[in-house]
Amino acid sequence: MEFQVKPRRSIIVYLHSMKQIRQLKRYGVIQYQSRQEHYVIIYMDEAQVRPTMAKLKKLNFVRRVEPSYRPDIDMNFGERVDKGFFKPQTGVPVDDED
């Protein structure tokens, strides 16, 4: 049996009230909850994201549901530095405080 990493993604669920957090446990693992901002981050498998988002949008205590875009972003910044994406500015006067 070989170990395989399953792709996973977070969903941000904005709520009207924080009383229904316990009901959200059945949709995935609650990774973070902000009582002040009234949102919950739920972590689940990538294959379950679309159907779960559709189910969550139908709940009356949910204001808005958004997927996390972090897996879509290329996090390898070393290649960008080597290609010259980040270039230091030359000819810019430096303010020296003496």
Side-chain angles (χ1 to χ4, degrees), residues 37-79:
E37 298 292 325
H38 294 280
Y39 71 89
V40 176
I41 298 178
I42 301 175
Y43 202 57
M44 64 186 68
D45 292 337
E46 183 74 37
Q48 298 174 347
V49 170
R50 295 249 183 237
T52 305
M53 284 180 60
K55 290 177 186 176
L56 288 172
K57 287 179 183 179
K58 292 179 182 178
L59 299 175
N60 60 355
F61 58 87
V62 174
R63 228 183 324 157
R64 187 172 77 216
V65 180
E66 293 182 7
S68 172
Y69 297 110
R70 183 168 182 183
D72 301 333
I73 298 171
D74 183 23
M75 299 301 284
N76 191 359
F77 299 113
E79 294 177 359

Side-chain angles (χ1 to χ4, degrees), residues 14-50:
Y14 295 93
L15 308 169
H16 291 289
S17 173
M18 297 299 284
K19 292 179 182 179
Q20 290 85 5
I21 291 176
R22 295 167 106 194
Q23 294 179 17
L24 296 176
K25 289 181 182 178
R26 70 177 68 150
Y27 297 103
V29 178
I30 294 180
Q31 187 177 12
Y32 179 76
Q33 59 186 359
S34 173
R35 294 198 176 275
Q36 188 173 8
E37 298 292 325
H38 294 280
Y39 71 89
V40 176
I41 298 178
I42 301 175
Y43 202 57
M44 64 186 68
D45 292 337
E46 183 74 37
Q48 298 174 347
V49 170
R50 295 249 183 237

